[in-house]
Amino acid sequence: MSEEKSLNFIEEIVEEDLKNGKYPFIITRFPPEPNGYLHLGHASSICLNFGLTLKYGGYTNLRFDDTNPVTEETEYVESIKEDVKWLGFEWKNELYASDYFPVLYQYAIQLIKKQLAYVDDSTSEEIAALKGTPTEPGKNSSYRERSVEENLHLFERMKNGEFPDGSKTLRAKIDMAHPNMLMRDPVLYRIKHAHHHRTGDEWCIYPMYDFAHGQSDSIEKVTHSLCTLEFVPHRELYDWLIEQLEIFPSKQYEFARRNLTYTITSKRKLLQLVNEKYVDGWDDPRMTTISGMRRRGYTPESIRDFCDRIGVAKRENLVDMSLLEYCVREHLNKIALRRMAVLDPLKLTITNYPAGQVEEVYSENNPEAENGGGTRAIPFSGSLWIEREDFMEVPAKKWFRLAPGAMVRLKSAYIIKCEDFIKDENGIVTEIKCSYIPESKSGNDTSGIHVKGTIHWISAAHAAQAEVRLYDRLFKVENPADEGDFTSYINTDSLHIISNAYIEPSLKTATAGEKFQFIRKGYFTLDKNSTNNKPVFNRTVTLRDTWAKESKK
RNA sequence: UGGCCUAUAGUAUAAUGGUAGUACGACAGAUUUUGGUUCUGUUUGUCUUGGUUCGAAUCCAGGUAGGCCAACCA
């Protein structure tokens, strides 16, 4: 069991830093901006950051990067905390970049005094115009050479609320001809007379990401500050600010964000789906948000396993959804209780079963568990519901379910033979008539008959009703974020509601979030929309279906 | 006419100058009272051209392809 798993490039850096004594232990942080719900991409980052300190010793902070009051809300803070906890991780400290506003303000004053920052009266258009382009150098702002005293004075007045939004900024004084656009006198502070979710109206100037993130890392003595690839060009500025401020040298390392086929992992786009009502809220089970996946029936274990399997690297990627499905099936197969549910009912009558007779049959709760996870009693009678798709009037090749004259076993009960079937005037089959073999009862079958097919069923008189929600992929194309308007790729058929499925009686006492395998149909969980009269089940994922493949040939 | 990042089966990820491996997928078979699970097998790969070396996926150089950078977003 001691096989060595190879290290990803970040683990290699950490091991090296630990080995040569650069740090006695490591500190990481997970730094979400509270402007949306967490999604699968964040899960990857969470597993990385927390996983690292769990593995190597140290701790991880949860730090909200709340420097832009206009997009941030307490609701998001709460959902983020819930999701991180649910995924199974514990942060050392709950922190906010906004806690550092006073320190950050002092840092800015330090820069001004070192003549490394200045107050600029340019409009954002003017700043953009002087910025140059990636291939042409920018030009100095005419406010660039203000004196230290004047800058200090103006910056204080900015803080005091003497200027309207957008009228002034504090900029770092670096190099307008720098090949890295981010080094061309980046804006450090902007004026926003906006209410902040934590500091209220205390501040009307707010630091930009670049003047908050690295400094927050440094204040917390974060050793390894992990972020995604689009921040690579920011690293130079990150290091420059830390160096000029002469503060703890946190180091930034970048990894590639994960993309998943047939979905999007962009907070902005997910917000759009919510706002434009393509889905029913952030926790819609079709969303790859953590809360959506939780509601859909995914387990934290399966998500962590997925993140572990896809690993961490620096190249562009588009991970196959089938891997995620594999992970959740693997876990659910071990833990989900087996139950029977008929989603598309067809009446079946056993003609030689004593009229009015009811008996109990026993079925194991989980064949993967020890002793089958125990058994439960299921009422059986001569009048049943079966799945419509389990009968074929003209059987296909290799078909081994019900067909005229064919035999199948009713799961955990008897072997039956199809004797006849009834159609209505439209040619729709309305009822199957079968005979059963009394000696074939599960557990003490003395019939000597072997059948290939086993189907699930529900006794009509004992059936409970449920709503079942079947989900399909939200997008029709593998990479909806690739080009064009992603909303044009939305699969308009991603939710199929079955309002009157039949479920076995034991399912009536299911509790929210409980995991089930509806035999032969897939994994399901009880939705929060359930009522006492009508449970609602979400399909997490189907079972692998080799027959579906076979029948397409 | 810039800077930076990246390139290994269909997908994701190893191999850290010395036998190109693993997982998912696909395909075939065995087992099965779930066409599930489990088990076995098969399949497919180092972007390109040079160079260094006894030996290169790995080091070097030039190409090519993809990505990121011109918010008072993060």
mmCIF file of all heavy atoms in Angstrom, chain B residues 60-73:
data_model
loop_
_atom_site.group_PDB
_atom_site.id
_atom_site.type_symbol
_atom_site.label_atom_id
_atom_site.label_comp_id
_atom_site.label_asym_id
_atom_site.label_seq_id
_atom_site.Cartn_x
_atom_site.Cartn_y
_atom_site.Cartn_z
ATOM 1 P P C B 60 16.590 23.903 -21.863
ATOM 2 O OP1 C B 60 16.561 25.109 -21.027
ATOM 3 O OP2 C B 60 15.322 23.354 -22.396
ATOM 4 O "O5'" C B 60 17.577 24.136 -23.079
ATOM 5 C "C5'" C B 60 18.886 24.655 -22.869
ATOM 6 C "C4'" C B 60 19.575 24.840 -24.193
ATOM 7 O "O4'" C B 60 19.840 23.538 -24.792
ATOM 8 C "C3'" C B 60 18.748 25.562 -25.240
ATOM 9 O "O3'" C B 60 18.811 26.962 -25.098
ATOM 10 C "C2'" C B 60 19.392 25.071 -26.534
ATOM 11 O "O2'" C B 60 20.602 25.747 -26.813
ATOM 12 C "C1'" C B 60 19.707 23.616 -26.192
ATOM 13 N N1 C B 60 18.646 22.684 -26.618
ATOM 14 C C2 C B 60 18.589 22.309 -27.959
ATOM 15 O O2 C B 60 19.411 22.784 -28.757
ATOM 16 N N3 C B 60 17.627 21.447 -28.377
ATOM 17 C C4 C B 60 16.758 20.964 -27.493
ATOM 18 N N4 C B 60 15.834 20.103 -27.946
ATOM 19 C C5 C B 60 16.785 21.328 -26.119
ATOM 20 C C6 C B 60 17.743 22.183 -25.725
ATOM 21 P P A B 61 17.576 27.855 -25.586
ATOM 22 O OP1 A B 61 17.830 29.246 -25.141
ATOM 23 O OP2 A B 61 16.308 27.191 -25.245
ATOM 24 O "O5'" A B 61 17.762 27.793 -27.168
ATOM 25 C "C5'" A B 61 18.885 28.407 -27.787
ATOM 26 C "C4'" A B 61 18.815 28.205 -29.274
ATOM 27 O "O4'" A B 61 18.980 26.796 -29.582
ATOM 28 C "C3'" A B 61 17.481 28.562 -29.921
ATOM 29 O "O3'" A B 61 17.333 29.946 -30.145
ATOM 30 C "C2'" A B 61 17.557 27.761 -31.215
ATOM 31 O "O2'" A B 61 18.400 28.383 -32.163
ATOM 32 C "C1'" A B 61 18.213 26.469 -30.732
ATOM 33 N N9 A B 61 17.204 25.460 -30.356
ATOM 34 C C8 A B 61 16.730 25.140 -29.100
ATOM 35 N N7 A B 61 15.825 24.186 -29.106
ATOM 36 C C5 A B 61 15.697 23.861 -30.444
ATOM 37 C C6 A B 61 14.905 22.916 -31.104
ATOM 38 N N6 A B 61 14.044 22.100 -30.503
ATOM 39 N N1 A B 61 15.013 22.845 -32.460
ATOM 40 C C2 A B 61 15.868 23.666 -33.089
ATOM 41 N N3 A B 61 16.676 24.587 -32.566
ATOM 42 C C4 A B 61 16.543 24.632 -31.226
ATOM 43 P P G B 62 15.879 30.586 -30.214
ATOM 44 O OP1 G B 62 16.064 32.055 -30.252
ATOM 45 O OP2 G B 62 15.016 29.972 -29.192
ATOM 46 O "O5'" G B 62 15.369 30.101 -31.637
ATOM 47 C "C5'" G B 62 16.075 30.484 -32.814
ATOM 48 C "C4'" G B 62 15.503 29.776 -34.002
ATOM 49 O "O4'" G B 62 15.743 28.352 -33.898
ATOM 50 C "C3'" G B 62 13.997 29.854 -34.143
ATOM 51 O "O3'" G B 62 13.560 31.110 -34.638
ATOM 52 C "C2'" G B 62 13.728 28.704 -35.108
ATOM 53 O "O2'" G B 62 14.083 29.027 -36.424
ATOM 54 C "C1'" G B 62 14.702 27.650 -34.565
ATOM 55 N N9 G B 62 14.015 26.776 -33.601
ATOM 56 C C8 G B 62 14.041 26.818 -32.228
ATOM 57 N N7 G B 62 13.287 25.894 -31.665
ATOM 58 C C5 G B 62 12.734 25.216 -32.738
ATOM 59 C C6 G B 62 11.832 24.124 -32.768
ATOM 60 O O6 G B 62 11.326 23.512 -31.823
ATOM 61 N N1 G B 62 11.517 23.739 -34.082
ATOM 62 C C2 G B 62 12.013 24.346 -35.210
ATOM 63 N N2 G B 62 11.599 23.855 -36.378
ATOM 64 N N3 G B 62 12.853 25.364 -35.198
ATOM 65 C C4 G B 62 13.168 25.744 -33.946
ATOM 66 P P G B 63 12.012 31.462 -34.614
ATOM 67 O OP1 G B 63 11.862 32.832 -35.131
ATOM 68 O OP2 G B 63 11.427 31.093 -33.297
ATOM 69 O "O5'" G B 63 11.491 30.439 -35.710
ATOM 70 C "C5'" G B 63 10.141 30.338 -35.939
ATOM 71 C "C4'" G B 63 9.873 29.117 -36.790
ATOM 72 O "O4'" G B 63 10.639 27.994 -36.276
ATOM 73 C "C3'" G B 63 8.430 28.693 -36.697
ATOM 74 O "O3'" G B 63 7.660 29.393 -37.655
ATOM 75 C "C2'" G B 63 8.499 27.193 -36.912
ATOM 76 O "O2'" G B 63 8.599 26.852 -38.271
ATOM 77 C "C1'" G B 63 9.801 26.852 -36.175
ATOM 78 N N9 G B 63 9.593 26.580 -34.750
ATOM 79 C C8 G B 63 10.157 27.254 -33.688
ATOM 80 N N7 G B 63 9.796 26.775 -32.527
ATOM 81 C C5 G B 63 8.945 25.738 -32.834
ATOM 82 C C6 G B 63 8.238 24.845 -31.980
ATOM 83 O O6 G B 63 8.240 24.814 -30.753
ATOM 84 N N1 G B 63 7.461 23.931 -32.702
ATOM 85 C C2 G B 63 7.397 23.885 -34.072
ATOM 86 N N2 G B 63 6.612 22.948 -34.595
ATOM 87 N N3 G B 63 8.047 24.703 -34.882
ATOM 88 C C4 G B 63 8.797 25.594 -34.203
ATOM 89 P P U B 64 6.449 30.263 -37.153
ATOM 90 O OP1 U B 64 6.013 31.109 -38.284
ATOM 91 O OP2 U B 64 6.790 30.883 -35.858
ATOM 92 O "O5'" U B 64 5.375 29.120 -36.930
ATOM 93 C "C5'" U B 64 5.134 28.156 -37.958
ATOM 94 C "C4'" U B 64 4.369 26.989 -37.405
ATOM 95 O "O4'" U B 64 5.216 26.207 -36.526
ATOM 96 C "C3'" U B 64 3.187 27.354 -36.523
ATOM 97 O "O3'" U B 64 2.049 27.713 -37.284
ATOM 98 C "C2'" U B 64 2.982 26.068 -35.737
ATOM 99 O "O2'" U B 64 2.353 25.078 -36.519
ATOM 100 C "C1'" U B 64 4.429 25.651 -35.486
ATOM 101 N N1 U B 64 4.945 26.150 -34.187
ATOM 102 C C2 U B 64 4.548 25.474 -33.035
ATOM 103 O O2 U B 64 3.799 24.514 -33.061
ATOM 104 N N3 U B 64 5.053 25.970 -31.866
ATOM 105 C C4 U B 64 5.909 27.051 -31.733
ATOM 106 O O4 U B 64 6.287 27.381 -30.606
ATOM 107 C C5 U B 64 6.263 27.692 -32.962
ATOM 108 C C6 U B 64 5.787 27.234 -34.123
ATOM 109 P P A B 65 1.030 28.808 -36.699
ATOM 110 O OP1 A B 65 0.080 29.161 -37.770
ATOM 111 O OP2 A B 65 1.799 29.862 -36.020
ATOM 112 O "O5'" A B 65 0.264 27.956 -35.586
ATOM 113 C "C5'" A B 65 -0.498 26.817 -35.962
ATOM 114 C "C4'" A B 65 -0.938 26.086 -34.723
ATOM 115 O "O4'" A B 65 0.224 25.576 -34.026
ATOM 116 C "C3'" A B 65 -1.633 26.956 -33.681
ATOM 117 O "O3'" A B 65 -2.995 27.173 -33.991
ATOM 118 C "C2'" A B 65 -1.439 26.137 -32.413
ATOM 119 O "O2'" A B 65 -2.320 25.035 -32.372
ATOM 120 C "C1'" A B 65 -0.015 25.613 -32.624
ATOM 121 N N9 A B 65 0.995 26.485 -31.997
ATOM 122 C C8 A B 65 1.769 27.449 -32.591
ATOM 123 N N7 A B 65 2.590 28.051 -31.755
ATOM 124 C C5 A B 65 2.315 27.448 -30.534
ATOM 125 C C6 A B 65 2.847 27.641 -29.243
ATOM 126 N N6 A B 65 3.789 28.528 -28.960
ATOM 127 N N1 A B 65 2.352 26.876 -28.242
ATOM 128 C C2 A B 65 1.405 25.989 -28.525
ATOM 129 N N3 A B 65 0.826 25.708 -29.701
ATOM 130 C C4 A B 65 1.339 26.482 -30.666
ATOM 131 P P G B 66 -3.702 28.533 -33.527
ATOM 132 O OP1 G B 66 -5.036 28.577 -34.165
ATOM 133 O OP2 G B 66 -2.753 29.655 -33.702
ATOM 134 O "O5'" G B 66 -3.885 28.284 -31.966
ATOM 135 C "C5'" G B 66 -4.819 27.323 -31.504
ATOM 136 C "C4'" G B 66 -4.656 27.112 -30.032
ATOM 137 O "O4'" G B 66 -3.306 26.686 -29.740
ATOM 138 C "C3'" G B 66 -4.813 28.341 -29.163
ATOM 139 O "O3'" G B 66 -6.171 28.701 -28.972
ATOM 140 C "C2'" G B 66 -4.149 27.876 -27.874
ATOM 141 O "O2'" G B 66 -4.971 26.986 -27.165
ATOM 142 C "C1'" G B 66 -2.947 27.113 -28.433
ATOM 143 N N9 G B 66 -1.762 27.984 -28.513
ATOM 144 C C8 G B 66 -1.201 28.567 -29.625
ATOM 145 N N7 G B 66 -0.143 29.287 -29.349
ATOM 146 C C5 G B 66 -0.009 29.180 -27.957
ATOM 147 C C6 G B 66 0.956 29.745 -27.089
ATOM 148 O O6 G B 66 1.914 30.479 -27.362
ATOM 149 N N1 G B 66 0.720 29.387 -25.755
ATOM 150 C C2 G B 66 -0.306 28.569 -25.341
ATOM 151 N N2 G B 66 -0.377 28.339 -24.033
ATOM 152 N N3 G B 66 -1.211 28.028 -26.152
ATOM 153 C C4 G B 66 -0.994 28.375 -27.441
ATOM 154 P P G B 67 -6.532 30.243 -28.705
ATOM 155 O OP1 G B 67 -8.007 30.348 -28.719
ATOM 156 O OP2 G B 67 -5.723 31.097 -29.610
ATOM 157 O "O5'" G B 67 -6.008 30.480 -27.224
ATOM 158 C "C5'" G B 67 -6.597 29.787 -26.140
ATOM 159 C "C4'" G B 67 -5.822 30.036 -24.885
ATOM 160 O "O4'" G B 67 -4.432 29.641 -25.076
ATOM 161 C "C3'" G B 67 -5.705 31.490 -24.460
ATOM 162 O "O3'" G B 67 -6.870 31.938 -23.813
ATOM 163 C "C2'" G B 67 -4.505 31.434 -23.524
ATOM 164 O "O2'" G B 67 -4.856 30.869 -22.276
ATOM 165 C "C1'" G B 67 -3.594 30.448 -24.264
ATOM 166 N N9 G B 67 -2.611 31.145 -25.114
ATOM 167 C C8 G B 67 -2.584 31.225 -26.483
ATOM 168 N N7 G B 67 -1.555 31.912 -26.926
ATOM 169 C C5 G B 67 -0.879 32.311 -25.780
ATOM 170 C C6 G B 67 0.303 33.072 -25.622
ATOM 171 O O6 G B 67 1.031 33.573 -26.494
ATOM 172 N N1 G B 67 0.636 33.247 -24.280
ATOM 173 C C2 G B 67 -0.083 32.741 -23.226
ATOM 174 N N2 G B 67 0.385 33.010 -22.005
ATOM 175 N N3 G B 67 -1.192 32.018 -23.356
ATOM 176 C C4 G B 67 -1.521 31.842 -24.656
ATOM 177 P P C B 68 -7.292 33.471 -23.915
ATOM 178 O OP1 C B 68 -8.662 33.570 -23.381
ATOM 179 O OP2 C B 68 -6.990 33.975 -25.268
ATOM 180 O "O5'" C B 68 -6.292 34.165 -22.894
ATOM 181 C "C5'" C B 68 -6.318 33.803 -21.521
ATOM 182 C "C4'" C B 68 -5.204 34.502 -20.791
ATOM 183 O "O4'" C B 68 -3.923 34.032 -21.289
ATOM 184 C "C3'" C B 68 -5.122 36.005 -21.003
ATOM 185 O "O3'" C B 68 -6.047 36.694 -20.190
ATOM 186 C "C2'" C B 68 -3.679 36.288 -20.618
ATOM 187 O "O2'" C B 68 -3.515 36.258 -19.214
ATOM 188 C "C1'" C B 68 -2.969 35.081 -21.219
ATOM 189 N N1 C B 68 -2.455 35.356 -22.571
ATOM 190 C C2 C B 68 -1.254 36.070 -22.680
ATOM 191 O O2 C B 68 -0.689 36.444 -21.642
ATOM 192 N N3 C B 68 -0.747 36.323 -23.905
ATOM 193 C C4 C B 68 -1.387 35.904 -25.004
ATOM 194 N N4 C B 68 -0.836 36.182 -26.179
ATOM 195 C C5 C B 68 -2.625 35.181 -24.916
ATOM 196 C C6 C B 68 -3.113 34.934 -23.692
ATOM 197 P P C B 69 -6.669 38.079 -20.715
ATOM 198 O OP1 C B 69 -7.676 38.482 -19.730
ATOM 199 O OP2 C B 69 -7.009 37.976 -22.151
ATOM 200 O "O5'" C B 69 -5.412 39.058 -20.600
ATOM 201 C "C5'" C B 69 -4.896 39.403 -19.322
ATOM 202 C "C4'" C B 69 -3.722 40.328 -19.486
ATOM 203 O "O4'" C B 69 -2.669 39.647 -20.216
ATOM 204 C "C3'" C B 69 -3.984 41.573 -20.318
ATOM 205 O "O3'" C B 69 -4.589 42.580 -19.523
ATOM 206 C "C2'" C B 69 -2.576 41.960 -20.757
ATOM 207 O "O2'" C B 69 -1.895 42.662 -19.732
ATOM 208 C "C1'" C B 69 -1.910 40.583 -20.953
ATOM 209 N N1 C B 69 -1.860 40.171 -22.359
ATOM 210 C C2 C B 69 -0.733 40.534 -23.106
ATOM 211 O O2 C B 69 0.168 41.168 -22.549
ATOM 212 N N3 C B 69 -0.662 40.175 -24.411
ATOM 213 C C4 C B 69 -1.657 39.488 -24.966
ATOM 214 N N4 C B 69 -1.550 39.156 -26.250
ATOM 215 C C5 C B 69 -2.827 39.104 -24.216
ATOM 216 C C6 C B 69 -2.876 39.473 -22.925
ATOM 217 P P A B 70 -5.941 43.257 -19.989
ATOM 218 O OP1 A B 70 -6.594 43.726 -18.753
ATOM 219 O OP2 A B 70 -6.649 42.393 -20.949
ATOM 220 O "O5'" A B 70 -5.387 44.528 -20.786
ATOM 221 C "C5'" A B 70 -4.683 45.542 -20.099
ATOM 222 C "C4'" A B 70 -4.624 46.772 -20.946
ATOM 223 O "O4'" A B 70 -3.805 46.512 -22.118
ATOM 224 C "C3'" A B 70 -5.961 47.221 -21.534
ATOM 225 O "O3'" A B 70 -6.655 48.018 -20.603
ATOM 226 C "C2'" A B 70 -5.540 48.003 -22.745
ATOM 227 O "O2'" A B 70 -5.116 49.306 -22.411
ATOM 228 C "C1'" A B 70 -4.341 47.193 -23.230
ATOM 229 N N9 A B 70 -4.706 46.187 -24.234
ATOM 230 C C8 A B 70 -4.913 44.844 -24.050
ATOM 231 N N7 A B 70 -5.226 44.198 -25.147
ATOM 232 C C5 A B 70 -5.225 45.184 -26.120
ATOM 233 C C6 A B 70 -5.476 45.156 -27.498
ATOM 234 N N6 A B 70 -5.789 44.038 -28.162
ATOM 235 N N1 A B 70 -5.401 46.313 -28.180
ATOM 236 C C2 A B 70 -5.087 47.442 -27.511
ATOM 237 N N3 A B 70 -4.819 47.595 -26.207
ATOM 238 C C4 A B 70 -4.906 46.424 -25.569
ATOM 239 P P A B 71 -8.222 47.953 -20.511
ATOM 240 O OP1 A B 71 -8.848 46.825 -21.218
ATOM 241 O OP2 A B 71 -8.735 49.302 -20.662
ATOM 242 O "O5'" A B 71 -8.031 47.679 -18.956
ATOM 243 C "C5'" A B 71 -8.897 46.992 -18.207
ATOM 244 C "C4'" A B 71 -9.802 47.938 -17.436
ATOM 245 O "O4'" A B 71 -11.090 47.322 -17.425
ATOM 246 C "C3'" A B 71 -9.360 48.139 -16.005
ATOM 247 O "O3'" A B 71 -9.865 49.390 -15.561
ATOM 248 C "C2'" A B 71 -10.124 47.050 -15.296
ATOM 249 O "O2'" A B 71 -10.337 47.297 -13.960
ATOM 250 C "C1'" A B 71 -11.455 47.101 -16.065
ATOM 251 N N9 A B 71 -12.207 45.862 -16.019
ATOM 252 C C8 A B 71 -13.442 45.684 -15.449
ATOM 253 N N7 A B 71 -13.900 44.473 -15.560
ATOM 254 C C5 A B 71 -12.910 43.820 -16.254
ATOM 255 C C6 A B 71 -12.802 42.517 -16.692
ATOM 256 N N6 A B 71 -13.735 41.588 -16.487
ATOM 257 N N1 A B 71 -11.694 42.177 -17.350
ATOM 258 C C2 A B 71 -10.763 43.111 -17.556
ATOM 259 N N3 A B 71 -10.740 44.378 -17.207
ATOM 260 C C4 A B 71 -11.852 44.666 -16.549
ATOM 261 P P C B 72 -8.854 50.614 -15.490
ATOM 262 O OP1 C B 72 -9.253 51.668 -16.432
ATOM 263 O OP2 C B 72 -7.470 50.086 -15.487
ATOM 264 O "O5'" C B 72 -9.204 51.106 -14.019
ATOM 265 C "C5'" C B 72 -8.886 50.283 -12.915
ATOM 266 C "C4'" C B 72 -9.817 50.609 -11.766
ATOM 267 O "O4'" C B 72 -9.675 52.012 -11.466
ATOM 268 C "C3'" C B 72 -11.284 50.380 -12.095
ATOM 269 O "O3'" C B 72 -11.938 49.963 -10.897
ATOM 270 C "C2'" C B 72 -11.780 51.764 -12.468
ATOM 271 O "O2'" C B 72 -13.145 51.975 -12.217
ATOM 272 C "C1'" C B 72 -10.932 52.634 -11.532
ATOM 273 N N1 C B 72 -10.752 54.002 -12.029
ATOM 274 C C2 C B 72 -11.387 55.031 -11.327
ATOM 275 O O2 C B 72 -12.048 54.759 -10.320
ATOM 276 N N3 C B 72 -11.256 56.298 -11.764
ATOM 277 C C4 C B 72 -10.526 56.549 -12.849
ATOM 278 N N4 C B 72 -10.437 57.821 -13.232
ATOM 279 C C5 C B 72 -9.884 55.522 -13.577
ATOM 280 C C6 C B 72 -10.015 54.274 -13.128
ATOM 281 P P C B 73 -13.170 48.910 -11.006
ATOM 282 O OP1 C B 73 -14.228 49.437 -11.873
ATOM 283 O OP2 C B 73 -13.484 48.570 -9.598
ATOM 284 O "O5'" C B 73 -12.512 47.644 -11.691
ATOM 285 C "C5'" C B 73 -11.822 46.688 -10.936
ATOM 286 C "C4'" C B 73 -12.686 45.472 -10.742
ATOM 287 O "O4'" C B 73 -12.972 44.889 -12.026
ATOM 288 C "C3'" C B 73 -12.063 44.359 -9.950
ATOM 289 O "O3'" C B 73 -12.204 44.614 -8.567
ATOM 290 C "C2'" C B 73 -12.870 43.168 -10.408
ATOM 291 O "O2'" C B 73 -14.128 43.144 -9.755
ATOM 292 C "C1'" C B 73 -13.098 43.495 -11.893
ATOM 293 N N1 C B 73 -12.118 42.847 -12.784
ATOM 294 C C2 C B 73 -12.336 41.501 -13.132
ATOM 295 O O2 C B 73 -13.306 40.913 -12.666
ATOM 296 N N3 C B 73 -11.461 40.891 -13.977
ATOM 297 C C4 C B 73 -10.408 41.569 -14.451
ATOM 298 N N4 C B 73 -9.584 40.925 -15.276
ATOM 299 C C5 C B 73 -10.166 42.927 -14.098
ATOM 300 C C6 C B 73 -11.039 43.521 -13.269
#
